[in-house]
Short mmCIF file of all heavy atoms in Angstrom, two decimals:
data_model
loop_
_atom_site.label_atom_id
_atom_site.label_comp_id
_atom_site.label_asym_id
_atom_site.label_seq_id
_atom_site.Cartn_x
_atom_site.Cartn_y
_atom_site.Cartn_z
N LEU A 1 0.83 -1.21 0.00
CA LEU A 1 0.00 0.00 0.00
C LEU A 1 0.87 1.27 0.00
O LEU A 1 0.63 2.20 -0.77
CB LEU A 1 -0.95 -0.01 1.21
CG LEU A 1 -1.82 1.22 1.41
CD1 LEU A 1 -2.66 1.54 0.18
CD2 LEU A 1 -2.73 1.04 2.62
N LEU A 2 1.89 1.29 0.84
CA LEU A 2 2.75 2.47 0.93
C LEU A 2 3.51 2.72 -0.38
O LEU A 2 3.86 3.86 -0.69
CB LEU A 2 3.74 2.33 2.09
CG LEU A 2 3.13 2.36 3.49
CD1 LEU A 2 4.17 1.97 4.54
CD2 LEU A 2 2.54 3.73 3.82
N ASN A 3 3.75 1.67 -1.13
CA ASN A 3 4.47 1.80 -2.41
C ASN A 3 3.53 1.92 -3.61
O ASN A 3 3.98 1.89 -4.76
CB ASN A 3 5.41 0.60 -2.61
CG ASN A 3 6.57 0.64 -1.64
OD1 ASN A 3 7.10 1.70 -1.33
ND2 ASN A 3 6.96 -0.53 -1.12
N LYS A 4 2.26 2.06 -3.34
CA LYS A 4 1.27 2.17 -4.43
C LYS A 4 1.55 3.41 -5.28
O LYS A 4 1.74 4.50 -4.74
CB LYS A 4 -0.13 2.28 -3.82
CG LYS A 4 -1.25 2.49 -4.82
CD LYS A 4 -2.57 2.77 -4.10
CE LYS A 4 -3.71 2.97 -5.09
NZ LYS A 4 -3.55 4.18 -5.92
N PRO A 5 1.59 3.26 -6.60
CA PRO A 5 1.77 4.44 -7.46
C PRO A 5 0.61 5.42 -7.25
O PRO A 5 -0.53 5.01 -7.06
CB PRO A 5 1.74 3.85 -8.88
CG PRO A 5 2.00 2.40 -8.71
CD PRO A 5 1.47 2.02 -7.37
N ASN A 6 0.93 6.70 -7.27
CA ASN A 6 -0.09 7.76 -7.12
C ASN A 6 -0.86 7.69 -5.81
O ASN A 6 -2.05 8.02 -5.77
CB ASN A 6 -1.07 7.75 -8.30
CG ASN A 6 -0.37 7.82 -9.64
OD1 ASN A 6 0.56 8.60 -9.82
ND2 ASN A 6 -0.77 6.97 -10.59
N LEU A 7 -0.19 7.26 -4.75
CA LEU A 7 -0.82 7.26 -3.43
C LEU A 7 -1.10 8.71 -3.04
O LEU A 7 -0.19 9.54 -3.03
CB LEU A 7 0.13 6.60 -2.41
CG LEU A 7 -0.40 6.37 -1.00
CD1 LEU A 7 -1.42 5.23 -0.99
CD2 LEU A 7 0.74 6.03 -0.05
N ARG A 8 -2.35 9.01 -2.72
CA ARG A 8 -2.70 10.39 -2.36
C ARG A 8 -2.62 10.63 -0.85
O ARG A 8 -2.22 11.67 -0.39
CB ARG A 8 -4.11 10.73 -2.85
CG ARG A 8 -4.19 10.94 -4.36
CD ARG A 8 -5.63 11.18 -4.80
NE ARG A 8 -6.42 9.96 -4.75
CZ ARG A 8 -7.76 9.93 -4.82
NH1 ARG A 8 -8.45 11.06 -4.90
NH2 ARG A 8 -8.41 8.78 -4.79
N PHE A 9 -3.07 9.63 -0.08
CA PHE A 9 -3.04 9.75 1.38
C PHE A 9 -2.47 8.47 1.98
O PHE A 9 -2.92 7.38 1.64
CB PHE A 9 -4.45 10.01 1.94
CG PHE A 9 -5.06 11.29 1.45
CD1 PHE A 9 -6.01 11.28 0.43
CD2 PHE A 9 -4.67 12.51 1.98
CE1 PHE A 9 -6.56 12.46 -0.05
CE2 PHE A 9 -5.22 13.70 1.52
CZ PHE A 9 -6.17 13.68 0.50
N LYS A 10 -1.51 8.64 2.87
CA LYS A 10 -0.90 7.49 3.56
C LYS A 10 -1.83 7.01 4.66
O LYS A 10 -2.53 7.81 5.28
CB LYS A 10 0.42 7.92 4.21
CG LYS A 10 1.64 7.74 3.36
CD LYS A 10 2.91 8.11 4.12
CE LYS A 10 3.23 7.14 5.25
NZ LYS A 10 4.54 7.37 5.86
N PRO A 11 -1.79 5.71 4.96
CA PRO A 11 -2.51 5.24 6.14
C PRO A 11 -1.83 5.81 7.38
O PRO A 11 -0.61 5.77 7.49
CB PRO A 11 -2.36 3.72 6.08
CG PRO A 11 -1.13 3.48 5.25
CD PRO A 11 -1.06 4.63 4.28
N ILE A 12 -2.63 6.39 8.30
CA ILE A 12 -1.98 6.98 9.48
C ILE A 12 -1.79 5.96 10.61
O ILE A 12 -1.00 6.19 11.52
CB ILE A 12 -2.70 8.25 10.01
CG1 ILE A 12 -4.05 7.93 10.63
CG2 ILE A 12 -2.84 9.28 8.90
CD1 ILE A 12 -4.58 9.07 11.50
N THR A 13 -2.50 4.84 10.53
CA THR A 13 -2.31 3.81 11.56
C THR A 13 -2.59 2.44 10.97
O THR A 13 -3.27 2.32 9.95
CB THR A 13 -3.22 4.06 12.79
OG1 THR A 13 -2.69 3.39 13.94
CG2 THR A 13 -4.65 3.59 12.57
N ASN A 14 -2.04 1.41 11.62
CA ASN A 14 -2.41 0.02 11.36
C ASN A 14 -2.91 -0.51 12.69
O ASN A 14 -2.16 -0.60 13.66
CB ASN A 14 -1.19 -0.78 10.88
CG ASN A 14 -1.54 -2.22 10.47
OD1 ASN A 14 -2.70 -2.57 10.32
ND2 ASN A 14 -0.51 -3.05 10.30
N GLN A 15 -4.20 -0.81 12.75
CA GLN A 15 -4.79 -1.31 14.00
C GLN A 15 -4.69 -2.84 14.01
O GLN A 15 -5.24 -3.51 13.14
CB GLN A 15 -6.25 -0.87 14.12
CG GLN A 15 -6.83 -1.27 15.48
CD GLN A 15 -8.28 -0.87 15.68
OE1 GLN A 15 -9.14 -1.72 15.95
NE2 GLN A 15 -8.58 0.41 15.56
N ILE A 16 -3.97 -3.36 15.00
CA ILE A 16 -3.68 -4.79 15.05
C ILE A 16 -3.90 -5.34 16.46
O ILE A 16 -3.86 -4.59 17.44
CB ILE A 16 -2.21 -5.07 14.63
CG1 ILE A 16 -1.23 -4.29 15.53
CG2 ILE A 16 -2.01 -4.73 13.15
CD1 ILE A 16 0.25 -4.59 15.28
N GLU A 17 -4.12 -6.64 16.53
CA GLU A 17 -4.17 -7.28 17.85
C GLU A 17 -2.78 -7.22 18.47
O GLU A 17 -1.79 -7.56 17.83
CB GLU A 17 -4.61 -8.74 17.71
CG GLU A 17 -4.65 -9.45 19.06
CD GLU A 17 -4.99 -10.93 18.96
OE1 GLU A 17 -5.53 -11.37 17.91
OE2 GLU A 17 -4.69 -11.66 19.93
N CYS A 18 -2.71 -6.79 19.72
CA CYS A 18 -1.40 -6.72 20.37
C CYS A 18 -1.55 -6.73 21.89
O CYS A 18 -2.36 -5.98 22.45
CB CYS A 18 -0.67 -5.44 19.93
SG CYS A 18 1.04 -5.39 20.51
N HIS A 19 -0.77 -7.58 22.53
CA HIS A 19 -0.74 -7.74 23.99
C HIS A 19 0.52 -8.54 24.31
O HIS A 19 1.18 -9.04 23.38
CB HIS A 19 -2.01 -8.47 24.48
CG HIS A 19 -2.40 -9.64 23.63
ND1 HIS A 19 -1.75 -10.86 23.71
CD2 HIS A 19 -3.32 -9.77 22.64
CE1 HIS A 19 -2.28 -11.69 22.83
NE2 HIS A 19 -3.23 -11.05 22.16
N PRO A 20 0.89 -8.72 25.58
CA PRO A 20 2.15 -9.41 25.87
C PRO A 20 2.27 -10.85 25.36
O PRO A 20 3.38 -11.34 25.21
CB PRO A 20 2.23 -9.36 27.40
CG PRO A 20 1.55 -8.07 27.73
CD PRO A 20 0.37 -8.03 26.78
N TYR A 21 1.15 -11.53 25.09
CA TYR A 21 1.25 -12.87 24.50
C TYR A 21 1.38 -12.80 22.97
O TYR A 21 1.61 -13.82 22.32
CB TYR A 21 0.03 -13.71 24.87
CG TYR A 21 -0.01 -14.17 26.33
CD1 TYR A 21 -1.18 -14.70 26.87
CD2 TYR A 21 1.11 -14.06 27.16
CE1 TYR A 21 -1.23 -15.13 28.20
CE2 TYR A 21 1.07 -14.48 28.49
CZ TYR A 21 -0.11 -15.01 29.01
OH TYR A 21 -0.16 -15.42 30.33
N LEU A 22 1.20 -11.60 22.41
CA LEU A 22 1.39 -11.36 20.96
C LEU A 22 2.00 -9.95 20.84
O LEU A 22 1.31 -8.99 20.58
CB LEU A 22 0.04 -11.44 20.22
CG LEU A 22 0.09 -11.24 18.69
CD1 LEU A 22 0.74 -12.44 18.00
CD2 LEU A 22 -1.32 -11.02 18.14
N THR A 23 3.31 -9.88 21.10
CA THR A 23 3.93 -8.56 21.24
C THR A 23 4.09 -7.80 19.92
O THR A 23 4.22 -6.58 19.93
CB THR A 23 5.31 -8.67 21.91
OG1 THR A 23 6.09 -9.66 21.21
CG2 THR A 23 5.18 -9.08 23.37
N GLN A 24 4.09 -8.52 18.79
CA GLN A 24 4.12 -7.88 17.47
C GLN A 24 5.35 -6.98 17.27
O GLN A 24 5.28 -5.95 16.59
CB GLN A 24 2.84 -7.03 17.27
CG GLN A 24 1.54 -7.79 17.30
CD GLN A 24 1.14 -8.34 15.94
OE1 GLN A 24 1.98 -8.60 15.09
NE2 GLN A 24 -0.15 -8.53 15.74
N LYS A 25 6.46 -7.37 17.87
CA LYS A 25 7.65 -6.53 17.83
C LYS A 25 8.08 -6.17 16.40
O LYS A 25 8.36 -5.00 16.10
CB LYS A 25 8.80 -7.26 18.55
CG LYS A 25 9.91 -6.35 19.00
CD LYS A 25 10.90 -7.07 19.91
CE LYS A 25 12.15 -6.22 20.04
NZ LYS A 25 13.34 -7.01 20.31
N GLU A 26 8.09 -7.15 15.52
CA GLU A 26 8.56 -6.91 14.15
C GLU A 26 7.59 -6.02 13.37
O GLU A 26 8.01 -5.09 12.67
CB GLU A 26 8.74 -8.24 13.40
CG GLU A 26 9.82 -9.15 14.00
CD GLU A 26 9.31 -10.00 15.16
OE1 GLU A 26 8.11 -9.91 15.51
OE2 GLU A 26 10.12 -10.75 15.73
N LEU A 27 6.31 -6.30 13.50
CA LEU A 27 5.32 -5.51 12.76
C LEU A 27 5.27 -4.07 13.27
O LEU A 27 5.20 -3.13 12.48
CB LEU A 27 3.94 -6.18 12.83
CG LEU A 27 2.83 -5.52 12.01
CD1 LEU A 27 3.22 -5.34 10.55
CD2 LEU A 27 1.54 -6.33 12.10
N ILE A 28 5.34 -3.89 14.59
CA ILE A 28 5.36 -2.53 15.16
C ILE A 28 6.60 -1.79 14.67
O ILE A 28 6.52 -0.63 14.26
CB ILE A 28 5.30 -2.57 16.70
CG1 ILE A 28 3.93 -3.06 17.17
CG2 ILE A 28 5.61 -1.18 17.30
CD1 ILE A 28 3.83 -3.33 18.66
N GLY A 29 7.74 -2.47 14.69
CA GLY A 29 8.98 -1.86 14.21
C GLY A 29 8.86 -1.43 12.75
O GLY A 29 9.28 -0.33 12.37
N PHE A 30 8.25 -2.31 11.94
CA PHE A 30 8.07 -1.99 10.53
C PHE A 30 7.17 -0.77 10.35
O PHE A 30 7.51 0.17 9.62
CB PHE A 30 7.48 -3.19 9.78
CG PHE A 30 7.24 -2.90 8.32
CD1 PHE A 30 8.28 -2.99 7.40
CD2 PHE A 30 5.98 -2.52 7.87
CE1 PHE A 30 8.07 -2.70 6.06
CE2 PHE A 30 5.77 -2.23 6.53
CZ PHE A 30 6.82 -2.32 5.62
N CYS A 31 6.01 -0.78 11.02
CA CYS A 31 5.06 0.34 10.89
C CYS A 31 5.70 1.66 11.31
O CYS A 31 5.64 2.65 10.58
CB CYS A 31 3.82 0.08 11.74
SG CYS A 31 2.79 -1.29 11.17
N GLN A 32 6.31 1.65 12.49
CA GLN A 32 6.86 2.89 13.02
C GLN A 32 8.03 3.40 12.16
O GLN A 32 8.19 4.60 12.01
CB GLN A 32 7.25 2.71 14.49
CG GLN A 32 6.01 2.51 15.37
CD GLN A 32 6.32 2.28 16.85
OE1 GLN A 32 7.46 1.95 17.22
NE2 GLN A 32 5.32 2.44 17.70
N SER A 33 8.78 2.48 11.55
CA SER A 33 9.89 2.90 10.69
C SER A 33 9.36 3.56 9.41
O SER A 33 10.07 4.32 8.75
CB SER A 33 10.78 1.71 10.31
OG SER A 33 10.14 0.89 9.35
N ARG A 34 8.11 3.28 9.07
CA ARG A 34 7.49 3.88 7.88
C ARG A 34 6.52 5.01 8.26
O ARG A 34 5.67 5.40 7.46
CB ARG A 34 6.73 2.80 7.09
CG ARG A 34 7.58 1.59 6.67
CD ARG A 34 8.68 1.91 5.67
NE ARG A 34 8.14 2.32 4.38
CZ ARG A 34 7.89 1.49 3.37
NH1 ARG A 34 8.13 0.19 3.48
NH2 ARG A 34 7.41 1.95 2.23
N GLN A 35 6.64 5.50 9.48
CA GLN A 35 5.80 6.61 9.98
C GLN A 35 4.30 6.27 9.96
O GLN A 35 3.46 7.14 9.73
CB GLN A 35 6.05 7.91 9.18
CG GLN A 35 7.31 8.67 9.59
CD GLN A 35 8.58 7.93 9.17
OE1 GLN A 35 8.80 7.67 7.98
NE2 GLN A 35 9.41 7.56 10.14
N VAL A 36 4.00 5.02 10.20
CA VAL A 36 2.60 4.59 10.37
C VAL A 36 2.45 4.22 11.84
O VAL A 36 3.20 3.36 12.34
CB VAL A 36 2.27 3.38 9.46
CG1 VAL A 36 0.84 2.89 9.71
CG2 VAL A 36 2.48 3.73 7.99
N SER A 37 1.53 4.87 12.54
CA SER A 37 1.35 4.54 13.96
C SER A 37 0.71 3.16 14.09
O SER A 37 0.16 2.61 13.13
CB SER A 37 0.50 5.61 14.65
OG SER A 37 -0.85 5.52 14.23
N VAL A 38 0.78 2.62 15.30
CA VAL A 38 0.15 1.32 15.58
C VAL A 38 -0.89 1.52 16.67
O VAL A 38 -0.63 2.19 17.68
CB VAL A 38 1.20 0.28 16.03
CG1 VAL A 38 0.52 -1.03 16.44
CG2 VAL A 38 2.20 0.02 14.90
N THR A 39 -2.06 0.96 16.44
CA THR A 39 -3.12 0.95 17.44
C THR A 39 -3.35 -0.50 17.84
O THR A 39 -3.52 -1.37 16.96
CB THR A 39 -4.42 1.55 16.88
OG1 THR A 39 -4.16 2.89 16.42
CG2 THR A 39 -5.52 1.59 17.94
N ALA A 40 -3.33 -0.77 19.15
CA ALA A 40 -3.49 -2.15 19.64
C ALA A 40 -4.93 -2.41 20.03
O ALA A 40 -5.47 -1.76 20.93
CB ALA A 40 -2.58 -2.37 20.85
N TYR A 41 -5.55 -3.39 19.35
CA TYR A 41 -6.85 -3.86 19.85
C TYR A 41 -6.60 -5.11 20.69
O TYR A 41 -5.56 -5.74 20.61
CB TYR A 41 -7.86 -4.07 18.73
CG TYR A 41 -7.69 -5.23 17.76
CD1 TYR A 41 -8.03 -6.54 18.11
CD2 TYR A 41 -7.28 -4.99 16.44
CE1 TYR A 41 -7.92 -7.58 17.19
CE2 TYR A 41 -7.18 -6.03 15.51
CZ TYR A 41 -7.50 -7.32 15.90
OH TYR A 41 -7.40 -8.36 14.99
#
């Protein structure tokens, strides 16, 4: 999505399941490195 040609608006967040039994370290690192915030459900 971020590499989509002619992207007009970036996603500002990726809302994902996240808690200590599913820490999502890699995905959070990826999102934040691309300036996409993470919201934990």
Side-chain angles (χ1 to χ4, degrees):
L1 176 55
L2 292 170
N3 290 323
K4 177 188 180 294
N6 306 316
L7 186 72
R8 286 176 287 166
F9 298 101
K10 268 184 69 171
I12 70 163
T13 202
N14 185 13
Q15 185 180 124
I16 57 174
E17 179 184 342
C18 188
H19 43 77
Y21 288 167
L22 182 70
T23 52
Q24 298 272 28
K25 200 170 166 208
E26 296 84 1
L27 185 53
I28 291 171
F30 178 82
C31 292
Q32 293 178 342
S33 75
R34 304 294 294 268
Q35 281 70 59
V36 176
S37 71
V38 175
T39 302
Y41 71 77

